[in-house]
């Protein structure tokens, strides 16, 4: 009889063990004991479980109805296809009305700061891969932080007389720390370190990568680097010893699907606990955060931070899963020739409900036929609307935690169609470097 090893994952499919996409190999039952003695991921899991910052599922959120259910793309699609045509059109109408009411103030904010010139003009000598589109995205993330007053380069730093003693850069013995979530190879932090100068870096990433920026970062004088190989879902940031009592900046570029919600919950537990009257204790202090969202089709109701906000707007859990499925339409084709200079697409023209004796718009396949007959641009525009609704809910949750925040389009769509950025800061604090 064969059994699956729950720890081993093939190299080509390094999904996190906390997610349901694992494709672990089968091992004969009589060989399982020997396999576990040499299974590398079992050793890694055992080592991780002993770390003080590991707390299983601390940031996962809750869903009392389906606590352990992961809604796959197929499940979401089937729910949409099983709708009657009138209910499907009602859902499209609800999405369009909701987007018009809550997402109207989103601005295009493509900011390339002067501090990043050494990377934009390729004046650095780092021996790491250079791709202009990624560099421009990373630079604009930092530029938006600078524009929002959450980050300043050395030539913009306030004098000691101009700043409050509570701000980070006014403490002589304080450490300017950066935590990058979903860090991958760490290239966003590399640009931040080169262009702004930082003293402490914590990279959070669940997977192993080659060609990491770690070696280059360690060559920077007076920079302390720590890489935590852990899923954000299980990270208790308050228990990371090197960050205790230290103000920090949180960043993340393209945090896929629920990783954005996990990151927000990981960073903002301090603020939410204070709002709930809990004793904060000794913990890191979030000064500001910038998260570029993506892959909204992977979002899960259980992990989503702003469930109550959407409920108040009439969005059910089933509606949410349909909305997440629609988001894949935003990036499933090349819409580069159809975008405007600000990175936006034309407003969608939803299909109209069938009239007279027409059934399902003249397609016998019901809602499946209706969706397949929609124009590509209508599908794409609807997908972007759904992305905006999901991110706007996240923005509202950040504001409820007491931070000043905004949601912007930080690069044109021809650089990346995944161009939404959440930026927030606590109070009026600026991290000066």
């Amino acid at each position: 009889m064969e059994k699956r090893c729950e720890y081993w994952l093939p190299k080509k499919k390094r999904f996190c063990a906390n997610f349901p996409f694992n494709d672990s190999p089968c091992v004969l039952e009589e060989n399982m004991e020997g396999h576990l003695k040499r299974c590398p991921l079992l050793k890694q899991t055992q080592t991780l479980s002993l770390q003080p910052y590991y707390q299983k599922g601390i940031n996962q959120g809750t869903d009392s109805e389906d606590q352990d259910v992961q809604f796959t793309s197929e499940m979401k699609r089937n729910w949409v296809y099983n709708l009657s045509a009138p209910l499907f059109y009602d859902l499209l109408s609800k999405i369009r009305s909701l987007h018009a009411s809550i997402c109207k103030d989103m601005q295009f904010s493509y900011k390339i700061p002067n501090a990043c010139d050494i990377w934009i003009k390729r004046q650095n000598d780092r021996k790491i891969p250079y791709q202009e589109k990624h560099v421009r995205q990373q630079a604009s993330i930092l530029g938006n932080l600078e524009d929002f007053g959450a980050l300043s380069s050395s030539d913009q730093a306030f004098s000691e007389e101009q700043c409050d003693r509570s701000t980070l850069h006014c403490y002589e013995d304080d450490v300017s720390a950066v935590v990058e979530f979903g860090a991958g190879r760490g290239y966003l932090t590399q640009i931040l370190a080169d262009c702004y100068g930082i003293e402490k870096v914590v990279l959070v990433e669940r997977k192993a990568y080659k060609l990491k920026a770690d070696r280059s970062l360690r060559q920077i004088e007076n920079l302390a680097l720590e890489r935590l190989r852990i899923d954000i879902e299980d990270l208790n940031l308050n228990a990371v010893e090197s960050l205790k009592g230290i103000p920090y900046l949180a960043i993340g570029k393209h945090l896929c699907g629920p990783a954005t919600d996990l990151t927000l919950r990981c960073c903002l537990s301090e603020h939410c606990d204070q709002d709930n009257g809990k004793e904060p204790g000794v913990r890191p202090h979030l000064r500001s955060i910038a998260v570029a969202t993506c892959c909204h089709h992977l979002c899960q109701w259980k992990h989503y931070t702003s469930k109550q906000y959407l409920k108040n707007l009439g969005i059910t859990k089933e509606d949410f899963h349909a909305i997440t499925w629609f988001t894949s339409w935003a990036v499933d084709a090349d819409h580069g020739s159809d975008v405007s200079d600000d990175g936006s697409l034309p407003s969608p023209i939803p299909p109209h409900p069938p009239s007279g004796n027409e059934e399902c718009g003249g397609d016998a396949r019901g809602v499946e036929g209706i969706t397949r007959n929609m124009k590509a641009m209508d599908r794409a525009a609807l997908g972007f609307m759904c992305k905006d609704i999901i991110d706007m809910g996240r923005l509202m949750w950040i504001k409820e935690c007491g931070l000043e925040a905004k949601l912007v389009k930080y690069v044109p769509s021809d650089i990346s169609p995944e161009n939404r950025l959440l930026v927030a800061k606590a109070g009026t604090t600026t991290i000066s470097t």
Side-chain angles (χ1 to χ4, degrees), residues 341-394:
D341 291 338
D342 67 354
S344 63
L345 284 154
S347 297
I349 306 174
H352 296 287
S355 58
N357 295 324
E358 288 185 272
E359 290 187 7
C360 303
D363 195 305
R365 290 173 296 176
V367 170
E368 179 180 0
I370 295 172
T371 59
R372 293 185 185 279
N373 289 332
M374 290 173 66
K375 295 179 180 179
M377 280 308 303
D378 289 345
R379 288 164 56 98
L382 179 65
F384 279 113
M385 281 188 171
C386 292
K387 283 178 174 286
D388 292 344
I389 290 171
I390 293 171
D391 286 338
M392 190 59 67
R394 291 162 166 166

Short mmCIF file of all heavy atoms in Angstrom, two decimals, residues 341-394:
data_model
loop_
_atom_site.label_atom_id
_atom_site.label_comp_id
_atom_site.label_asym_id
_atom_site.label_seq_id
_atom_site.Cartn_x
_atom_site.Cartn_y
_atom_site.Cartn_z
N ASP A 341 -3.11 56.23 -20.78
CA ASP A 341 -1.83 56.59 -20.18
C ASP A 341 -1.80 56.35 -18.68
O ASP A 341 -0.74 56.14 -18.09
CB ASP A 341 -1.51 58.06 -20.47
CG ASP A 341 -1.22 58.29 -21.95
OD1 ASP A 341 -0.86 57.31 -22.64
OD2 ASP A 341 -1.37 59.44 -22.42
N ASP A 342 -2.97 56.44 -18.02
CA ASP A 342 -3.00 56.24 -16.58
C ASP A 342 -3.17 54.78 -16.19
O ASP A 342 -3.38 54.45 -15.03
CB ASP A 342 -4.12 57.07 -15.93
CG ASP A 342 -5.51 56.60 -16.33
OD1 ASP A 342 -5.61 55.70 -17.18
OD2 ASP A 342 -6.49 57.12 -15.77
N GLY A 343 -3.08 53.89 -17.18
CA GLY A 343 -3.14 52.48 -16.87
C GLY A 343 -4.53 51.92 -16.72
O GLY A 343 -4.71 50.80 -16.25
N SER A 344 -5.56 52.64 -17.12
CA SER A 344 -6.92 52.17 -16.94
C SER A 344 -7.49 51.64 -18.24
O SER A 344 -7.01 51.95 -19.32
CB SER A 344 -7.81 53.31 -16.42
OG SER A 344 -7.87 54.36 -17.37
N LEU A 345 -8.53 50.82 -18.10
CA LEU A 345 -9.23 50.25 -19.24
C LEU A 345 -10.58 50.92 -19.39
O LEU A 345 -11.11 51.50 -18.45
CB LEU A 345 -9.43 48.75 -19.03
CG LEU A 345 -8.19 47.86 -19.24
CD1 LEU A 345 -8.32 46.60 -18.42
CD2 LEU A 345 -8.05 47.52 -20.70
N PRO A 346 -11.18 50.85 -20.59
CA PRO A 346 -12.52 51.39 -20.74
C PRO A 346 -13.49 50.70 -19.80
O PRO A 346 -13.31 49.54 -19.44
CB PRO A 346 -12.86 51.07 -22.21
CG PRO A 346 -11.56 50.82 -22.88
CD PRO A 346 -10.65 50.26 -21.82
N SER A 347 -14.55 51.41 -19.39
CA SER A 347 -15.57 50.81 -18.53
C SER A 347 -16.27 49.69 -19.30
O SER A 347 -16.51 49.80 -20.48
CB SER A 347 -16.60 51.86 -18.10
OG SER A 347 -15.99 52.87 -17.34
N PRO A 348 -16.58 48.59 -18.58
CA PRO A 348 -17.19 47.47 -19.27
C PRO A 348 -18.63 47.76 -19.64
O PRO A 348 -19.30 48.56 -19.01
CB PRO A 348 -17.12 46.35 -18.24
CG PRO A 348 -17.18 47.06 -16.93
CD PRO A 348 -16.43 48.34 -17.15
N ILE A 349 -19.08 47.12 -20.69
CA ILE A 349 -20.49 47.18 -21.07
C ILE A 349 -21.05 45.79 -20.83
O ILE A 349 -20.91 44.90 -21.67
CB ILE A 349 -20.66 47.59 -22.55
CG1 ILE A 349 -19.92 48.89 -22.83
CG2 ILE A 349 -22.12 47.71 -22.91
CD1 ILE A 349 -19.91 49.28 -24.29
N PRO A 350 -21.63 45.55 -19.63
CA PRO A 350 -22.07 44.20 -19.32
C PRO A 350 -23.13 43.74 -20.30
O PRO A 350 -23.89 44.55 -20.85
CB PRO A 350 -22.68 44.36 -17.91
CG PRO A 350 -22.10 45.62 -17.37
CD PRO A 350 -21.90 46.50 -18.56
N PRO A 351 -23.20 42.43 -20.58
CA PRO A 351 -24.25 41.91 -21.45
C PRO A 351 -25.61 42.19 -20.83
O PRO A 351 -25.76 42.19 -19.63
CB PRO A 351 -23.95 40.41 -21.49
CG PRO A 351 -23.18 40.14 -20.24
CD PRO A 351 -22.37 41.38 -19.99
N HIS A 352 -26.57 42.45 -21.67
CA HIS A 352 -27.90 42.75 -21.18
C HIS A 352 -28.70 41.47 -21.00
O HIS A 352 -28.52 40.49 -21.74
CB HIS A 352 -28.62 43.68 -22.17
CG HIS A 352 -27.95 45.01 -22.30
ND1 HIS A 352 -28.00 45.96 -21.32
CD2 HIS A 352 -27.17 45.52 -23.29
CE1 HIS A 352 -27.31 47.02 -21.71
NE2 HIS A 352 -26.79 46.77 -22.89
N PRO A 353 -29.58 41.42 -20.02
CA PRO A 353 -30.39 40.24 -19.80
C PRO A 353 -31.19 39.89 -21.04
O PRO A 353 -31.57 40.77 -21.80
CB PRO A 353 -31.31 40.64 -18.64
CG PRO A 353 -30.62 41.79 -17.97
CD PRO A 353 -29.87 42.50 -19.06
N PRO A 354 -31.43 38.61 -21.27
CA PRO A 354 -32.21 38.21 -22.43
C PRO A 354 -33.63 38.73 -22.33
O PRO A 354 -34.18 38.87 -21.24
CB PRO A 354 -32.17 36.68 -22.36
CG PRO A 354 -31.91 36.36 -20.93
CD PRO A 354 -31.04 37.48 -20.43
N SER A 355 -34.21 39.04 -23.46
CA SER A 355 -35.57 39.55 -23.49
C SER A 355 -36.43 38.64 -24.35
O SER A 355 -35.93 37.84 -25.15
CB SER A 355 -35.60 40.98 -24.05
OG SER A 355 -35.06 41.00 -25.35
N GLY A 356 -37.71 38.75 -24.19
CA GLY A 356 -38.64 37.97 -25.01
C GLY A 356 -38.47 36.49 -24.74
O GLY A 356 -38.42 36.03 -23.61
N ASN A 357 -38.36 35.73 -25.82
CA ASN A 357 -38.25 34.28 -25.70
C ASN A 357 -36.81 33.78 -25.72
O ASN A 357 -36.56 32.59 -25.77
CB ASN A 357 -39.04 33.61 -26.83
CG ASN A 357 -40.52 33.88 -26.73
OD1 ASN A 357 -41.06 33.95 -25.62
ND2 ASN A 357 -41.18 34.05 -27.87
N GLU A 358 -35.87 34.73 -25.75
CA GLU A 358 -34.47 34.32 -25.75
C GLU A 358 -34.13 33.67 -24.42
O GLU A 358 -34.55 34.12 -23.36
CB GLU A 358 -33.55 35.52 -25.96
CG GLU A 358 -33.57 36.09 -27.35
CD GLU A 358 -32.53 37.20 -27.46
OE1 GLU A 358 -32.89 38.34 -27.15
OE2 GLU A 358 -31.39 36.91 -27.81
N GLU A 359 -33.39 32.62 -24.47
CA GLU A 359 -32.94 31.97 -23.25
C GLU A 359 -31.42 32.10 -23.16
O GLU A 359 -30.71 31.71 -24.07
CB GLU A 359 -33.32 30.48 -23.24
CG GLU A 359 -34.82 30.26 -23.09
CD GLU A 359 -35.11 28.78 -22.91
OE1 GLU A 359 -34.15 28.01 -22.79
OE2 GLU A 359 -36.30 28.42 -22.90
N CYS A 360 -30.99 32.68 -22.01
CA CYS A 360 -29.55 32.77 -21.74
C CYS A 360 -28.80 33.47 -22.86
O CYS A 360 -27.72 33.05 -23.28
CB CYS A 360 -28.95 31.38 -21.51
SG CYS A 360 -29.75 30.47 -20.18
N GLY A 361 -29.41 34.53 -23.40
CA GLY A 361 -28.72 35.30 -24.42
C GLY A 361 -28.55 34.53 -25.70
O GLY A 361 -27.64 34.77 -26.46
N GLY A 362 -29.41 33.54 -25.94
CA GLY A 362 -29.32 32.78 -27.17
C GLY A 362 -28.31 31.66 -27.12
O GLY A 362 -28.00 31.05 -28.12
N ASP A 363 -27.76 31.34 -25.94
CA ASP A 363 -26.79 30.27 -25.82
C ASP A 363 -27.33 29.20 -24.89
O ASP A 363 -27.68 29.48 -23.74
CB ASP A 363 -25.46 30.82 -25.27
CG ASP A 363 -24.32 29.85 -25.48
OD1 ASP A 363 -24.43 28.69 -25.04
OD2 ASP A 363 -23.32 30.26 -26.10
N ALA A 364 -27.39 27.98 -25.37
CA ALA A 364 -27.98 26.89 -24.60
C ALA A 364 -27.12 26.47 -23.42
O ALA A 364 -27.57 25.72 -22.56
CB ALA A 364 -28.23 25.69 -25.51
N ARG A 365 -25.87 26.96 -23.36
CA ARG A 365 -24.99 26.57 -22.27
C ARG A 365 -25.16 27.45 -21.04
O ARG A 365 -24.38 27.37 -20.10
CB ARG A 365 -23.54 26.63 -22.75
CG ARG A 365 -23.19 25.55 -23.77
CD ARG A 365 -21.79 25.75 -24.33
NE ARG A 365 -21.69 27.00 -25.07
CZ ARG A 365 -20.56 27.46 -25.60
NH1 ARG A 365 -19.44 26.77 -25.45
NH2 ARG A 365 -20.54 28.59 -26.29
N GLY A 366 -26.18 28.28 -21.01
CA GLY A 366 -26.46 29.10 -19.84
C GLY A 366 -25.38 30.13 -19.58
O GLY A 366 -24.85 30.76 -20.49
N VAL A 367 -25.06 30.31 -18.29
CA VAL A 367 -24.10 31.34 -17.90
C VAL A 367 -22.73 31.07 -18.52
O VAL A 367 -22.03 32.00 -18.90
CB VAL A 367 -24.02 31.41 -16.37
CG1 VAL A 367 -22.84 32.31 -15.95
CG2 VAL A 367 -25.32 31.96 -15.79
N GLU A 368 -22.35 29.82 -18.65
CA GLU A 368 -21.08 29.50 -19.30
C GLU A 368 -21.06 30.07 -20.72
O GLU A 368 -20.06 30.66 -21.15
CB GLU A 368 -20.86 28.00 -19.34
CG GLU A 368 -19.55 27.61 -20.02
CD GLU A 368 -19.33 26.12 -20.06
OE1 GLU A 368 -20.18 25.37 -19.56
OE2 GLU A 368 -18.28 25.70 -20.59
N GLY A 369 -22.14 29.90 -21.43
CA GLY A 369 -22.20 30.44 -22.78
C GLY A 369 -22.18 31.96 -22.80
O GLY A 369 -21.55 32.57 -23.67
N ILE A 370 -22.87 32.57 -21.83
CA ILE A 370 -22.89 34.03 -21.75
C ILE A 370 -21.48 34.57 -21.55
O ILE A 370 -21.04 35.52 -22.22
CB ILE A 370 -23.81 34.50 -20.61
CG1 ILE A 370 -25.26 34.11 -20.90
CG2 ILE A 370 -23.69 36.01 -20.41
CD1 ILE A 370 -26.20 34.36 -19.73
N THR A 371 -20.74 33.98 -20.62
CA THR A 371 -19.38 34.47 -20.34
C THR A 371 -18.45 34.27 -21.53
O THR A 371 -17.59 35.11 -21.80
CB THR A 371 -18.79 33.77 -19.10
OG1 THR A 371 -18.75 32.35 -19.33
CG2 THR A 371 -19.64 34.04 -17.87
N ARG A 372 -18.62 33.17 -22.24
CA ARG A 372 -17.75 32.90 -23.39
C ARG A 372 -18.06 33.84 -24.55
O ARG A 372 -17.19 34.09 -25.40
CB ARG A 372 -17.90 31.44 -23.83
CG ARG A 372 -17.36 30.45 -22.82
CD ARG A 372 -17.42 29.03 -23.35
NE ARG A 372 -17.02 28.06 -22.33
CZ ARG A 372 -15.76 27.77 -22.02
NH1 ARG A 372 -14.78 28.38 -22.66
NH2 ARG A 372 -15.48 26.88 -21.09
N ASN A 373 -19.28 34.36 -24.60
CA ASN A 373 -19.67 35.26 -25.68
C ASN A 373 -19.38 36.73 -25.36
O ASN A 373 -19.57 37.59 -26.22
CB ASN A 373 -21.16 35.10 -25.99
CG ASN A 373 -21.46 33.77 -26.67
OD1 ASN A 373 -20.61 33.21 -27.36
ND2 ASN A 373 -22.66 33.25 -26.47
N MET A 374 -18.94 37.02 -24.14
CA MET A 374 -18.60 38.39 -23.79
C MET A 374 -17.33 38.82 -24.53
O MET A 374 -16.43 38.01 -24.77
CB MET A 374 -18.38 38.52 -22.28
CG MET A 374 -19.64 38.39 -21.45
SD MET A 374 -19.30 38.37 -19.65
CE MET A 374 -18.66 40.04 -19.41
N LYS A 375 -17.25 40.07 -24.89
CA LYS A 375 -16.05 40.60 -25.54
C LYS A 375 -14.88 40.57 -24.57
O LYS A 375 -15.04 40.75 -23.37
CB LYS A 375 -16.30 42.03 -26.03
CG LYS A 375 -17.35 42.15 -27.12
CD LYS A 375 -17.54 43.59 -27.53
CE LYS A 375 -18.59 43.73 -28.63
NZ LYS A 375 -18.79 45.15 -29.01
N ALA A 376 -13.69 40.37 -25.12
CA ALA A 376 -12.49 40.28 -24.28
C ALA A 376 -12.29 41.52 -23.43
O ALA A 376 -11.92 41.44 -22.26
CB ALA A 376 -11.27 40.02 -25.15
N MET A 377 -12.56 42.70 -24.01
CA MET A 377 -12.37 43.93 -23.25
C MET A 377 -13.39 44.08 -22.15
O MET A 377 -13.10 44.63 -21.08
CB MET A 377 -12.42 45.14 -24.19
CG MET A 377 -11.13 45.38 -24.96
SD MET A 377 -9.68 45.45 -23.87
CE MET A 377 -10.15 46.77 -22.78
N ASP A 378 -14.63 43.60 -22.38
CA ASP A 378 -15.64 43.64 -21.33
C ASP A 378 -15.24 42.73 -20.17
O ASP A 378 -15.40 43.08 -19.00
CB ASP A 378 -17.00 43.22 -21.88
CG ASP A 378 -17.61 44.26 -22.82
OD1 ASP A 378 -17.12 45.41 -22.79
OD2 ASP A 378 -18.55 43.92 -23.55
N ARG A 379 -14.73 41.56 -20.51
CA ARG A 379 -14.28 40.63 -19.47
C ARG A 379 -13.11 41.23 -18.68
O ARG A 379 -13.07 41.15 -17.45
CB ARG A 379 -13.85 39.30 -20.11
CG ARG A 379 -14.99 38.45 -20.63
CD ARG A 379 -14.50 37.36 -21.57
NE ARG A 379 -13.50 36.51 -20.98
CZ ARG A 379 -13.75 35.32 -20.43
NH1 ARG A 379 -15.00 34.86 -20.41
NH2 ARG A 379 -12.79 34.59 -19.91
N ALA A 380 -12.15 41.84 -19.41
CA ALA A 380 -10.99 42.42 -18.75
C ALA A 380 -11.38 43.56 -17.82
O ALA A 380 -10.92 43.65 -16.68
CB ALA A 380 -9.99 42.92 -19.79
N ALA A 381 -12.27 44.43 -18.29
CA ALA A 381 -12.68 45.58 -17.48
C ALA A 381 -13.44 45.12 -16.24
O ALA A 381 -13.26 45.67 -15.15
CB ALA A 381 -13.54 46.52 -18.32
N LEU A 382 -14.28 44.09 -16.39
CA LEU A 382 -14.98 43.54 -15.24
C LEU A 382 -13.98 42.95 -14.25
O LEU A 382 -14.11 43.12 -13.03
CB LEU A 382 -15.98 42.48 -15.69
CG LEU A 382 -16.77 41.79 -14.57
CD1 LEU A 382 -17.68 42.79 -13.86
CD2 LEU A 382 -17.58 40.62 -15.12
N GLY A 383 -12.96 42.27 -14.78
CA GLY A 383 -11.93 41.70 -13.91
C GLY A 383 -11.20 42.75 -13.10
O GLY A 383 -10.94 42.57 -11.90
N PHE A 384 -10.86 43.88 -13.75
CA PHE A 384 -10.18 44.95 -13.02
C PHE A 384 -11.10 45.59 -11.98
O PHE A 384 -10.65 45.99 -10.90
CB PHE A 384 -9.67 46.01 -14.00
CG PHE A 384 -8.37 45.64 -14.65
CD1 PHE A 384 -8.29 45.38 -16.01
CD2 PHE A 384 -7.20 45.56 -13.90
CE1 PHE A 384 -7.10 45.03 -16.61
CE2 PHE A 384 -5.99 45.21 -14.48
CZ PHE A 384 -5.95 44.94 -15.85
N MET A 385 -12.39 45.70 -12.29
CA MET A 385 -13.34 46.21 -11.30
C MET A 385 -13.34 45.33 -10.05
O MET A 385 -13.33 45.83 -8.92
CB MET A 385 -14.74 46.24 -11.89
CG MET A 385 -15.03 47.42 -12.80
SD MET A 385 -16.78 47.45 -13.23
CE MET A 385 -16.89 49.03 -14.06
N CYS A 386 -13.34 44.02 -10.27
CA CYS A 386 -13.36 43.09 -9.14
C CYS A 386 -12.08 43.19 -8.32
O CYS A 386 -12.10 43.12 -7.09
CB CYS A 386 -13.59 41.67 -9.64
SG CYS A 386 -15.24 41.39 -10.34
N LYS A 387 -10.94 43.36 -8.99
CA LYS A 387 -9.67 43.56 -8.27
C LYS A 387 -9.76 44.80 -7.38
O LYS A 387 -9.32 44.79 -6.22
CB LYS A 387 -8.53 43.72 -9.27
CG LYS A 387 -8.02 42.43 -9.90
CD LYS A 387 -6.93 42.74 -10.90
CE LYS A 387 -6.30 41.47 -11.45
NZ LYS A 387 -5.44 40.81 -10.46
N ASP A 388 -10.30 45.87 -7.94
CA ASP A 388 -10.40 47.12 -7.18
C ASP A 388 -11.29 46.96 -5.96
O ASP A 388 -10.99 47.50 -4.88
CB ASP A 388 -10.95 48.23 -8.08
CG ASP A 388 -9.98 48.64 -9.18
OD1 ASP A 388 -8.79 48.29 -9.07
OD2 ASP A 388 -10.42 49.29 -10.15
N ILE A 389 -12.39 46.25 -6.10
CA ILE A 389 -13.30 46.05 -4.97
C ILE A 389 -12.61 45.29 -3.85
O ILE A 389 -12.72 45.65 -2.67
CB ILE A 389 -14.58 45.31 -5.44
CG1 ILE A 389 -15.43 46.22 -6.33
CG2 ILE A 389 -15.40 44.82 -4.24
CD1 ILE A 389 -16.58 45.51 -7.01
N ILE A 390 -11.88 44.24 -4.21
CA ILE A 390 -11.16 43.45 -3.20
C ILE A 390 -10.13 44.32 -2.49
O ILE A 390 -10.02 44.31 -1.25
CB ILE A 390 -10.49 42.24 -3.86
CG1 ILE A 390 -11.55 41.25 -4.35
CG2 ILE A 390 -9.53 41.54 -2.89
CD1 ILE A 390 -11.00 40.13 -5.21
N ASP A 391 -9.35 45.09 -3.25
CA ASP A 391 -8.31 45.93 -2.65
C ASP A 391 -8.90 47.10 -1.86
O ASP A 391 -8.33 47.53 -0.85
CB ASP A 391 -7.36 46.45 -3.73
CG ASP A 391 -6.43 45.36 -4.25
OD1 ASP A 391 -6.22 44.37 -3.53
OD2 ASP A 391 -5.90 45.50 -5.37
N MET A 392 -10.04 47.62 -2.30
CA MET A 392 -10.66 48.71 -1.57
C MET A 392 -11.14 48.22 -0.19
O MET A 392 -11.06 48.96 0.80
CB MET A 392 -11.83 49.29 -2.36
CG MET A 392 -12.39 50.58 -1.80
SD MET A 392 -11.16 51.92 -1.68
CE MET A 392 -10.84 52.24 -3.42
N GLY A 393 -11.62 46.99 -0.13
CA GLY A 393 -11.98 46.43 1.17
C GLY A 393 -10.78 46.34 2.09
O GLY A 393 -10.88 46.64 3.29
N ARG A 394 -9.65 45.94 1.54
CA ARG A 394 -8.42 45.89 2.33
C ARG A 394 -8.04 47.28 2.83
O ARG A 394 -7.59 47.46 3.97
CB ARG A 394 -7.28 45.31 1.50
CG ARG A 394 -7.44 43.82 1.19
CD ARG A 394 -6.58 43.38 0.04
NE ARG A 394 -6.47 41.92 -0.05
CZ ARG A 394 -6.00 41.27 -1.10
NH1 ARG A 394 -5.60 41.95 -2.17
NH2 ARG A 394 -5.93 39.96 -1.11
#
